[in-house]
Amino acid sequence: MADSYRPALSRRGFLKLAGAAGAAAALGGGGLSASKPAQAAGGLRPGFESKFTVCDMCFNKCSAIARVQGGVVQKLDPNPKFLKSRGMLCARGNAGVEQVYSRDRLKYPLLRVGERGEGKFKRISWDEALDIAAEKMKSIGERYTRCGFMFMAGSDMQSSFVHRFAEAYGSYNTLSHESMCLIAGTRAFLDTFGEVPIPDMLYTKYVVMVGANRFESLVTPDSIDLMTAMNNGAKLVVLDPRYTKTAAKADEWFAIRPRTDMAFMLALAHVLIKEKLYDRKFVGEKTYGIEQLAKHVEPCTPQWASEQCDIPAEDIARIARELAKAAPAAMVYPGRRSSNYTDSTQIRRSYAIVNALLGNWDRPGGLTAARKVGLSGGVPFEPPFYENNPEDRIDAGRAKLMFPEEGSFKLARDAVIAGKPYPVKGWFTYHTNPMQTAANRQKTIKMINDMEFMISMDIQMSDTAWMADLVLPSQTYLERQDPCTAQQGSSACACVVMRDPVVAPLYESKPVFWVMQQIARRIGLGEHFDFTIEQFREKQLSGLQGAMDALKRDGVYYNPSKLYGVYEGKIYKTKSHKIELFNSRYAEMGLDPMPVYTPPKAGGYDRFRLVVGRNAVITQSSSQNNSLLVKFQPTNHLWIHPDPAKEMGIKDGDWVWVKGPHGKQRLQAKVTHQTRPDTVYMATGFGVLSTGLKNIYGEGACIAEVLNDDFDGISGNMAMHETWVSVGREAA
Ligand SMILES: Nc1nc2c(c(=O)[nH]1)N[C@H]1C(S)=C(S)[C@@H](COP(=O)(O)OP(=O)(O)OC[C@H]3O[C@@H](n4cnc5c(=O)[nH]c(N)nc54)[C@H](O)[C@@H]3O)O[C@H]1N2
Ligand SMILES: Nc1nc2c(c(=O)[nH]1)N[C@H]1C(S)=C(S)[C@@H](COP(=O)(O)OP(=O)(O)OC[C@H]3O[C@@H](n4cnc5c(=O)[nH]c(N)nc54)[C@H](O)[C@@H]3O)O[C@H]1N2
Ligand code: SF4
Ligand SMILES: [Mo]
């Protein structure tokens, strides 16, 4: 059945087309005529329709144009009018057609019939599936309070409907991917600048990139703008224990010892202050706590930091001076994923503090404030109040400054397993795969086994769906209608995009909006979902004249606004109303008001630190099984440096085991100078349990099984790099 829908697109054809798209993107601009969208990317054969869409292969949500023939998506092209991606669609974006036509798509609702995780399901109708879901939600809500059902939705334009449902149903226990992604960094910058900054990459002259990999971990427009800035003469310094593609492209790469970034930052601050290189006018007027900071970093000499982070003292001092010289068009790149260490918030605070000293805030080539595009909240609603509910979220109270709307996956999972402070017995997941993306897979399995009922909605049988009791087939992004979403984008402008289906949905796949609406109706909460997506979008766009026309005409709506100097005459959203070098709220809460460095434990050849990272063709755990991409990374290997490998008799390609505190995996070694002798690495999303992922089942090893699940004490962000593993050669 699946094959009848397959477009006539071989991998070779795909690559050729992808190349054409790149060329079209490079020509850029102008192609879209108002009445006939998208004759842009040259050589379009007759019989094709062109329709705007928004890529969903990662969170960047690049606007794209689908070329549709006979009701089949043949190809995806970038939208040249979409400034945030600078008219680019990456390899994963090009491979988005496979989301629809994959042989591994979930086709209809499935109910578990075997043991959990055994993979035995039976096909049921949507009516049955929704009745079961409603009945379980009712019964768990009645027996354990409504907070006894937990909801988790990944990065998706319909995820807010899952959260809306949870609110109407009465559960505070909602989770997203964010506590495994970036909340420590968000916390740190909010608690320093009162804002989460958008780097003005395009106009920068000097970037120190620490613990980020912008040429593989694509973030738009930063990845593209960084290349442009470098072509225009900007300097890039990369600190990463691995030789990433970003490191390869950099002017300088330092294989920093993991978990020592703060020492490096404090030493930069030391030099900037000691040599009076910091922006004294800016710091005097706009910041709070320079005296305390000066005292704090007094002992943090480059020599001291060098012993910690393995970067020569003279290089640290030189980088500080070079940064100051290029300032304010210079930055310590704020980074994105910060799910690294138990003090990741303080580590990122140290990045923020150096930026403040450079005076790069609100100025060209520095860090800019996020700009509001003016999208409204959609159809409003009044969630009911449930009297017998517990006081707080299940994960409350362990991380001092957790974002209540995001929670902490790590802490929630611990609490569910402990059954404290109250039992949680049901779980709904949508568009997220924590079985692969949350450290300590055994714990996730334990949590699921402690639950009474789990529902998972996906487009393929992910490992998370594999563990569920009820599996619901989702429409892919090319088949569904989605609300509008706002995007930030430095000089690329804040903008709005939305999605309409470009082809009819295949099989019995449905959007999560419909699922939430149907369950809500069954449990007497229908009034909260009594609208259509069109109506929701109308409300969202109500304050933006002409926005819908622009979206239909260009696939994107811009609301240009001032980019620099927006803080002139304004107070900062912090306690002191200034940029906080010294954080007085932290002091009051018993937290360190300034980042305090603690040296990491020493490694050794029997103890490596395991770090996570990315590859440009893979999105977290979701695109490994894509038939158009699998060729580029069919499996994962354990990266290990030649020195320890030699000592342990491990040769390139040998099978090795890698053992973390909670689990062990086996895979082949890649013996390489691309990692430090004390650090090993493997790509995410392999070693799957689900046989439904046919391209990758049996391939590689699961990093989630090996990663330790510590957490950042301030934000509750997962701390995945606090993992020490041992490695050994498998007996032949
Ligand atoms: N192709 C692709 N692009 C993506 C994604 C994807 O999966 N694939 N995911 C998107 C998402 S959700 C996010 S959050 C971003 C993530 O993008 P980034 O924030 O850039 O995060 P990572 O790619 O995880 O890169 C972190 C780097 O830190 C290094 N590292 C590990 N420990 C240390 C340390 O102690 N100090 C220093 N200095 N470095 C260290 C790792 O080797 C790794 O290369 O990428 C986004 N873009
Ligand atoms: N080991 C390790 N762990 C990590 C990371 C890492 O680099 N390494 N990165 C961390 C970061 S930064 C993040 S953001 C998180 C992300 O973690 P997750 O939120 O788990 O994201 P993905 O791994 O992309 O999983 C997305 C799931 O959604 C499914 N999906 C795709 N499209 C659709 C759709 O249209 N509808 C539905 N219903 N489902 C769909 C995919 O099949 C997949 O199962 O992981 C974190 N965890
Ligand atoms: S960066 Fe690539 S995968 Fe992510 S939204 Fe843009 S085109 Fe899609
Ligand atoms: Mo992320």
Side-chain angles (χ1 to χ4, degrees), residues 430-433 437 457-458 460 474 480 614 621-622 684:
Y430 169 71
H431 198 154
T432 186
N433 186 19
T437 51
M457 189 160 186
D458 207 302
Q460 58 185 352
S474 204
R480 60 180 144 95
R614 287 164 163 72
S621 75
S622 49
T684 301

Side-chain angles (χ1 to χ4, degrees), residues 117-119 435-436 441-442 445 461-464 466-467 665 685-693 696-699 702 705:
E118 203 186 8
M435 276 287 291
Q436 281 287 346
R441 181 166 72 175
Q442 286 306 321
I445 294 173
M461 188 61 91
S462 69
D463 275 7
T464 302
W466 182 253
M467 295 300 294
Q665 291 283 285
F686 291 93
V688 295
L689 303 177
S690 166
T691 57
L693 303 168
I696 55 163
Y697 179 72
E699 286 298 339
C702 173
E705 183 82 19

Side-chain angles (χ1 to χ4, degrees), residues 58-60 92 177 181 210-214 216-219 239-242 244 256-261 335-337 341 351 611-620 721:
C58 85
F59 77 96
N60 282 306
R92 296 165 299 155
H177 69 290
C181 176
V210 183
N213 182 10
R214 232 3 101 253
E216 291 184 273
S217 311
L218 304 181
V219 171
L239 273 52
D240 194 309
R242 296 188 305 124
T244 60
I256 189 169
R257 181 173 168 224
R259 209 192 198 281
T260 64
D261 301 329
R336 187 173 159 89
R337 188 181 66 78
Y341 298 109
Y351 297 19
V611 300
V612 312
R614 287 164 163 72
N615 162 316
V617 299
I618 287 189
T619 298
Q620 283 108 227
H721 297 189

Side-chain angles (χ1 to χ4, degrees), residues 55-62 88-90 92-93 218 220:
C55 181
D56 191 35
M57 297 296 282
C58 85
F59 77 96
N60 282 306
K61 311 254 174 308
C62 301
M88 177 260 0
L89 203 62
C90 78
R92 296 165 299 155
L218 304 181
T220 58

Side-chain angles (χ1 to χ4, degrees), residues 15 89 116 135 181 245 319 337 375 394 396 421 457 605 609 665 673:
L15 289 175
L89 203 62
R116 271 216 179 101
E135 194 278 316
C181 176
K245 301 266 190 306
I319 291 166
R337 188 181 66 78
L375 203 60
I394 189 166
M457 189 160 186
Y605 289 176
R609 194 187 289 275
Q665 291 283 285
H673 283 99

Side-chain angles (χ1 to χ4, degrees), residues 316-513:
I316 301 175
R318 176 180 51 80
I319 291 166
R321 291 174 198 132
E322 288 177 356
L323 269 170
K325 195 157 176 234
M331 68 173 90
V332 173
Y333 182 71
R336 187 173 159 89
R337 188 181 66 78
S338 55
S339 51
N340 299 338
Y341 298 109
T342 50
D343 62 349
S344 272
T345 297
Q346 294 285 20
I347 294 174
R348 298 284 158 141
R349 274 260 300 146
S350 71
Y351 297 19
I353 286 170
V354 174
N355 282 307
L357 292 177
L358 295 173
N360 66 9
W361 180 252
D362 208 17
R363 290 176 172 181
L367 304 184
T368 61
R371 285 175 301 163
K372 303 266 176 301
V373 77
L375 203 60
S376 316
V379 177
F381 85 123
E382 280 289 326
F385 177 74
Y386 298 97
E387 266 188 3
N388 67 343
N389 253 352
E391 294 242 310
D392 212 335
R393 298 179 53 99
I394 189 166
D395 47 8
R398 282 185 70 197
K400 286 204 169 163
L401 286 167
M402 185 179 80
F403 293 98
E405 62 286 8
E406 301 298 343
S408 161
F409 181 86
K410 144 77 190 168
L411 297 175
R413 187 179 59 186
D414 283 353
V416 174
I417 292 172
K420 281 182 186 148
Y422 51 84
V424 169
K425 293 292 179 189
W427 194 18
F428 181 96
T429 70
Y430 169 71
H431 198 154
T432 186
N433 186 19
M435 276 287 291
Q436 281 287 346
T437 51
N440 197 344
R441 181 166 72 175
Q442 286 306 321
K443 237 191 209 178
T444 308
I445 294 173
K446 167 99 176 86
M447 172 174 77
I448 295 168
N449 284 333
D450 287 352
M451 298 252 185
E452 283 185 17
F453 202 72
M454 174 180 173
I455 306 168
S456 183
M457 189 160 186
D458 207 302
I459 54 170
Q460 58 185 352
M461 188 61 91
S462 69
D463 275 7
T464 302
W466 182 253
M467 295 300 294
D469 301 289
L470 180 62
V471 178
L472 303 177
S474 204
Q475 286 176 0
T476 68
Y477 69 100
L478 294 165
E479 299 163 309
R480 60 180 144 95
Q481 186 178 45
D482 281 343
C484 298
T485 190
Q487 309 224 13
Q488 299 293 336
S490 66
S491 58
C493 281
C495 65
V496 175
V497 289
M498 69 175 193
R499 261 192 210 118
D500 280 315
V502 303
V503 284
L506 295 191
Y507 319 114
E508 292 184 13
S509 62
K510 294 285 183 192
V512 77
F513 171 68

Side-chain angles (χ1 to χ4, degrees), residues 137 140 146-151 169 171 173 426-428 455:
M137 283 189 191
I140 287 177
R146 285 157 182 267
C147 290
F149 218 104
M150 186 159 81
F151 295 83
Y169 169 80
S171 176
N173 291 319
W427 194 18
F428 181 96
I455 306 168

